[in-house]
């Protein structure tokens, strides 16, 4: 649990030397303590070297729960604010000088100086999220475990350790729930177990106010309904399309087709769990078992591409084919405006298939504006320069968006093949892991933001209808029939 603790500063803090008595005087006197010394010297009957502790006031407006909540979801327990050595030869417990802890106060009992490494580590961990500690904060943390009576809540070593551990656990759960919510969406048992654990934590009587608030916020995040949950699912769309005769292509406008195609593409894309992006499972023999959702995304891409090509080829009249090409190009341009770059590639790739590309008589009648738009769209999704233009478009667009998944799969395969999992020293290659994590994080960003598009069953029925779709061989034969080869 404590292995990922961030250090307070660049200076290494040796916990074994933190509480060792020293004969060196404090280099930087504490102004607050100096003022207290003068005040004590003016009072009669105050002699000896006994240590007095002034507790922090619970009503101090500068240390409210709300102020501390801004820097950390939980706060460490308050500790004695100031310790004064009444003898002029004594000094503050230790000072923080140029990143070095200067221990002193010889009069403290040796048992208080012999703090275990585990306790010191827990104290350091408890303040890890509050930035570089000041001299006063170092002094307060040491007093919290310096051996004061256990009935003093602020000085109880065990209490400090428990609070540090609770703080760490809540921070880990908060990060897990907020950054990897898909784990809980796909695993109801995990979700209920985490909620049950947090409910037990909340009922802990020793829990601090901010810790209780942090646990409640995590539960609220787990139980609240995601606005995207109201969106229709892919399974519901497919089920509604079964057994229904689709309306012909001419009955749907380009805008309706573009919107419903974008909705379908995103529903298929968002279903891919991030676990499938590890280990190049989509390139293995058992790819259908290891990466079923990536394979479904690939199949959907090919089905739409075949649908577009079949819709063009099935028209015997040349003018009907020209009209179909221009309408599909208009659909592609609308999809570009909707940030559905996957559909742009689905349409442009179908126009470049041999069965369509060879129709010279048909292409002669396509307008110049349509041809210029096709060139523009093809440059956008071209694989030249490792999809340079597409990457730039993705960088500048805000979700919702449907990227071309093949680009990311190519990146992951390149990293897996070209970078070893371990360094020459036998250590884990974290540089490689960070590169993979960066790609998956970008994919997740586009998966989590849904489109606000109303489902139109009549259009999705047409897009999912495979009754008239032809395979590659049949497409080419039909292309030769409607426009035979010229004799050489």
């Amino acid at each position: 649990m404590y292995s990922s603790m961030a250090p307070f500063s660049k200076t290494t803090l040796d916990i074994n030397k933190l509480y060792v008595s020293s004969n060196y005087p404090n280099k930087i006197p504490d102004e607050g303590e100096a003022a207290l010394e003068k005040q004590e010297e003016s009072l009669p009957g105050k002699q000896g070297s006994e240590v007095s502790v002034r507790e922090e006031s619970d009503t101090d407006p500068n240390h409210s729960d709300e102020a501390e909540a801004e820097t950390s979801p939980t706060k460490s327990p308050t500790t004695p604010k100031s310790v004064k050595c009444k003898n002029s030869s004594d000094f503050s417990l230790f000072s923080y000088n140029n990143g070095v802890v200067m221990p002193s106060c010889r009069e403290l009992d040796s048992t208080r100086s012999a703090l275990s490494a585990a306790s010191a580590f827990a104290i350091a961990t408890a303040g890890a999220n509050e930035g570089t500690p000041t001299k006063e904060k170092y002094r307060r943390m040491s007093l919290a475990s310096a051996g004061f009576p256990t009935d003093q809540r602020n000085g109880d070593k065990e209490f400090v350790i428990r609070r540090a551990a609770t703080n760490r656990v809540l921070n880990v759960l908060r990060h897990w729930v907020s950054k990897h919510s898909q784990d809980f969406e796909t695993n109801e048992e995990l979700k209920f177990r985490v909620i049950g654990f947090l409910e037990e934590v909340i009922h802990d009587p020793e829990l601090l106010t901010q810790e209780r608030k942090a646990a409640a916020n995590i539960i609220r995040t787990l139980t609240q309904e995601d606005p995207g949950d109201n969106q229709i699912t892919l399974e519901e769309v497919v089920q509604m399309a079964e057994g229904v005769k689709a309306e012909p292509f001419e009955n749907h406008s380009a805008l309706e087709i573009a919107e419903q195609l974008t909705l379908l593409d995103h529903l298929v894309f968002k279903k891919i769990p991030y676990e499938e992006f590890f280990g190049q499972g989509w390139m293995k023999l058992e790819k259908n078992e290891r990466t079923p959702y990536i394979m479904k995304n690939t199949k959907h891409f090919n089905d739409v591409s075949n649908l577009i090509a079949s819709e063009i080829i099935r028209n015997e009249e040349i003018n009907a084919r020209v009209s179909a090409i221009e309408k599909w190009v208009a659909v592609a341009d609308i999809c570009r405006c909707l940030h559905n770059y996957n559909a742009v590639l689905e349409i442009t790739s179908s126009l470049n298939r041999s069965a369509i590309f060879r129709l010279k008589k048909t292409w002669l009648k396509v307008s110049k504006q349509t041809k210029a738009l096709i060139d523009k769209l093809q440059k956008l999704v071209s694989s030249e320069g490792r999809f340079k233009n597409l990457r730039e478009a993705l960088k500048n667009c805000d979700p919702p968006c449907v990227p071309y998944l093949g680009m990311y799969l190519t990146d992951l395969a390149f990293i897996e093949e070209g970078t070893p999992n371990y360094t020459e020293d036998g250590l884990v290659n974290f540089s490689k892991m960070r590169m993979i994590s960066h790609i998956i994080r970008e994919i997740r960003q586009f998966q989590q933001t849904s489109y606000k598009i109303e489902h139109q069953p009549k259009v999705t029925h047409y897009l999912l209808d495979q009754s008239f779709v032809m395979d590659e061989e049949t497409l080419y034969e039909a292309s030769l029939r409607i426009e035979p080869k010229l004799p050489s």
Side-chain angles (χ1 to χ4, degrees), residues 392-410:
E392 188 66 24
L394 291 171
K395 180 181 178 181
N396 296 326
C397 85
D398 295 324
C401 171
V402 186
Y404 173 54
L405 184 62
M407 179 185 71
Y408 293 117
L409 298 182
T410 302

Side-chain angles (χ1 to χ4, degrees), residues 350-397:
S350 66
L351 297 178
N352 286 326
R353 299 175 74 159
S354 58
I356 307 296
F357 188 77
R358 63 170 299 276
L359 301 175
K360 295 182 179 180
K361 294 180 181 179
T362 302
W363 284 106
L364 285 174
K365 290 197 172 186
V366 175
S367 65
K368 292 182 179 180
Q369 293 83 356
T370 301
K371 290 180 179 179
L373 184 55
I374 292 174
D375 291 339
K376 176 183 174 181
L377 295 174
Q378 287 180 339
K379 287 180 181 178
L380 173 62
V381 294
S382 172
S383 60
E384 182 180 355
R386 296 181 59 247
F387 295 94
K388 177 183 177 182
N389 296 331
L390 179 56
R391 292 180 194 277
E392 188 66 24
L394 291 171
K395 180 181 178 181
N396 296 326
C397 85

Side-chain angles (χ1 to χ4, degrees), residues 8 14 35-36 42 89 101 107 133 139-140 205 214 217 261 270 385 396 418 423 426 469:
F8 284 132
D14 190 343
L36 288 174
S42 64
S89 63
V101 178
E107 300 297 326
R139 184 169 62 81
R140 290 171 57 192
N217 287 337
L261 181 57
K270 71 181 292 187
N396 296 326
T423 64
V469 175

Side-chain angles (χ1 to χ4, degrees), residues 48-340:
S49 59
E50 66 179 20
V51 181
S52 64
V53 179
R54 178 173 297 177
E55 299 282 341
E56 286 184 352
S57 174
D58 293 336
T59 60
D60 188 351
N62 296 327
H63 294 78
S64 63
D65 291 342
E66 289 75 7
E68 299 231 7
E70 295 177 0
T71 57
S72 174
T74 61
K75 67 174 184 176
S76 301
T78 55
T79 55
K81 186 173 183 180
S82 61
V83 174
K84 174 184 174 300
C85 296
K86 300 175 185 177
N87 195 314
S88 60
S89 63
D90 295 333
F91 302 93
S92 60
L93 193 59
F94 58 87
S95 64
Y96 185 71
N97 187 9
N98 296 328
V100 179
V101 178
M102 305 294 295
S104 60
C105 200
R106 296 186 300 271
E107 300 297 326
L108 285 178
D109 190 277
S110 59
T111 59
R112 297 179 181 179
S113 300
L115 179 65
S116 67
S119 300
F121 186 85
I123 296 170
T125 304
N129 294 329
E130 300 181 8
T132 303
T134 60
K135 175 179 64 176
E136 175 67 14
K137 190 172 292 186
Y138 263 119
R139 184 169 62 81
R140 290 171 57 192
M141 285 191 298
S142 68
L143 287 174
S145 299
F148 288 100
T150 55
D151 59 345
Q152 296 184 12
R153 180 184 177 96
N154 294 334
D156 188 349
K157 290 191 300 183
E158 296 298 327
F159 178 80
V160 172
I161 294 173
R162 289 196 298 272
R163 297 284 63 77
T166 302
N167 185 46
R168 274 293 186 186
V169 171
L170 291 175
N171 279 334
V172 170
L173 288 176
R174 177 180 56 81
H175 180 86
W176 189 6
V177 170
S178 61
K179 301 298 183 182
H180 304 282
S181 58
Q182 191 178 32
D183 291 349
F184 303 95
E185 295 170 1
T186 57
N187 192 335
E188 289 292 330
E189 181 183 358
L190 173 64
K191 177 179 177 180
F192 291 131
R193 290 183 66 178
V194 171
I195 292 175
F197 169 75
L198 289 171
E199 288 175 346
E200 291 182 7
V201 171
I202 288 179
H203 290 90
D204 182 1
E206 291 188 348
L207 205 65
L208 298 177
T209 303
Q210 292 305 314
E211 292 173 342
R212 185 170 283 105
K213 288 181 179 179
N217 287 337
I218 298 173
I219 294 177
R220 191 178 302 112
T221 303
L222 284 171
T223 55
Q224 70 181 358
E225 291 187 2
D226 186 357
D229 290 344
N230 297 326
Q231 188 183 38
I232 191 169
T233 64
L234 180 63
E235 290 76 12
E236 292 173 341
V237 172
V238 174
Q239 185 177 6
M240 293 173 65
E242 291 179 354
V244 179
K245 185 177 180 180
E247 296 184 15
F249 177 64
E250 296 78 14
N251 291 7
H252 312 296
S253 68
L255 177 60
E256 289 176 335
I257 295 175
E259 287 182 343
Q260 297 306 304
L261 181 57
T262 298
L263 178 63
L264 284 175
D265 284 355
H266 191 266
L267 290 176
V268 175
F269 173 69
K270 71 181 292 187
K271 289 284 290 183
I272 305 174
Y274 63 84
E275 295 90 347
E276 293 193 9
F277 295 112
F278 299 117
Q280 303 181 79
W282 61 90
M283 300 176 66
K284 310 297 182 182
L285 292 176
E286 61 277 11
K287 57 187 176 183
N288 291 322
E289 291 76 24
R290 294 183 59 175
T291 57
Y293 288 98
I294 289 180
M295 301 314 299
K296 287 181 181 178
N297 188 90
T298 303
K299 182 180 182 300
H300 174 73
F301 184 98
N302 295 332
D303 287 346
V304 173
S305 182
N306 289 334
L307 171 71
I308 296 168
S310 300
E311 186 62 55
I312 297 172
I313 293 293
R314 68 188 296 191
N315 294 293
E316 299 289 341
E317 295 291 331
I318 186 170
N319 290 331
R321 292 197 297 272
V322 171
S323 178
I325 290 175
E326 292 182 343
K327 188 173 180 178
W328 279 114
V329 173
V331 171
D333 194 43
I334 298 173
C335 288
R336 176 188 62 83
C337 297
L338 294 172
H339 299 161
N340 183 6

